Amino acid sequence: MGYMSECYRGSPLSIQKAVTVAEAYIRSYDETIKSFKMDQINYVKQLARRKATCGQLKNLIEFHHGEKDKLADTIPAFVDIGPFRLMTHTIRTVAIKKHQQLADAILEYFYDKLRQTMEKINDQFLVLLDRIEQPTGNIEDLLEKKQWCRTVPKKIEKLSTDVNRLRSDFRLMSSFNRNMDDEDFSTYWHIQVLHLLAYSGIQYMLYL
């Protein structure tokens, strides 16, 4: 944040007062300047170490969007204080950009978390279906499989909860205008199909 002198008629005391006011005004941006020093990569790593929940990530994204809008409304292009003109346009531009970068970094981390969760759910359904569809060679295998099948509804119930949470989180993601990549979109809908197949498959096995 820079400033420049202008022609000004006043006593040394009034000039000193203006300097004091100008310095105080500059210090009022200390918190804003702190955000300049935030590195997006380290910021996201801190969130990962804290194991931030999706709800917490949402709040942080909204916080940075809110700060960006607030700075756009409150920081002027310049401020005249006595003989000084403080040029604040640059700090406003940089601060707004920084908050947007931090929000984008959190959003991508949020997306990566959802992708990992989605892949894990997909793999778990595939394991269940593979076991359900595995042919039995004799009556002993069939009885053993039926015994195993009795444990599956609880597993499907837990996965159903995970699927519902995944849907909710992706709706939240889309509210920030972050759509799924094509491959992830296919995996997402594949999970919905696997969910139905696993449920119908286990019902069939239990009633054999």
Side-chain angles (χ1 to χ4, degrees):
M1 185 185 301
Y3 60 85
M4 62 180 181
S5 299
E6 294 186 335
C7 292
Y8 180 78
R9 291 182 179 180
S11 67
L13 180 59
S14 63
I15 293 176
Q16 182 57 46
K17 286 182 178 179
V19 170
T20 301
V21 173
E23 289 175 342
Y25 183 80
I26 291 171
R27 285 196 299 273
S28 71
Y29 288 100
D30 284 351
E31 289 300 316
T32 300
I33 291 171
K34 282 182 182 179
S35 68
F36 297 170
K37 300 176 182 179
M38 287 186 184
D39 175 74
Q40 291 96 292
I41 295 175
N42 288 329
Y43 184 50
V44 168
K45 284 181 178 179
Q46 289 176 10
L47 295 175
R49 284 194 295 269
R50 284 163 41 193
K51 297 183 179 179
T53 65
C54 290
Q56 290 170 332
L57 295 177
K58 170 184 176 290
N59 291 338
L60 283 171
I61 294 169
E62 290 177 340
F63 166 77
H64 286 295
H65 283 165
E67 286 297 297
K68 182 188 71 171
D69 294 339
K70 184 171 71 175
L71 291 172
D73 292 336
T74 58
I75 300 181
F78 62 87
V79 176
D80 289 330
I81 300 177
F84 303 106
R85 170 162 289 182
L86 277 65
M87 308 305 297
T88 53
H89 173 74
T90 299
I91 194 172
R92 179 178 64 182
T93 301
V94 174
I96 289 171
K97 181 179 179 181
K98 189 65 176 185
H99 279 292
Q100 184 62 56
Q101 289 173 339
L102 292 171
D104 290 344
I106 298 169
L107 188 60
E108 286 308 304
Y109 171 62
F110 188 6
Y111 186 89
D112 286 341
K113 275 176 65 83
L114 292 185
R115 178 191 286 121
Q116 292 169 17
T117 299
M118 184 167 61
E119 290 173 350
K120 182 179 178 181
I121 293 172
N122 186 66
D123 290 344
Q124 288 175 312
F125 271 126
L126 289 175
V127 169
L128 284 178
L129 279 171
D130 183 65
R131 182 75 171 89
I132 291 170
E133 295 173 356
Q134 186 176 356
T136 53
N138 51 54
I139 189 64
E140 287 81 9
D141 289 344
L142 178 60
L143 291 174
E144 181 185 349
K145 187 172 183 179
K146 284 179 69 69
Q147 185 68 26
W148 172 81
C149 284
R150 293 189 181 95
T151 69
V152 175
K154 285 188 177 180
K155 296 177 182 178
I156 293 179
E157 183 179 350
K158 181 184 180 304
L159 284 171
S160 297
T161 300
D162 294 339
V163 169
N164 290 334
R165 187 181 300 115
L166 187 68
R167 289 182 189 134
S168 176
D169 289 340
F170 268 117
R171 281 197 296 270
L172 177 60
M173 177 71 62
S174 65
S175 72
F176 293 116
N177 298 317
R178 176 56 164 100
N179 296 321
M180 282 185 271
D181 299 337
D182 290 344
E183 185 176 349
D184 296 329
F185 184 79
S186 296
T187 303
Y188 175 82
W189 284 108
H190 188 230
I191 286 173
Q192 315 306 314
V193 174
L194 291 178
H195 185 199
L196 295 174
L197 289 175
Y199 180 78
S200 59
I202 203 62
Q203 292 300 314
Y204 173 77
M205 287 300 304
L206 288 173
Y207 287 102
L208 273 179

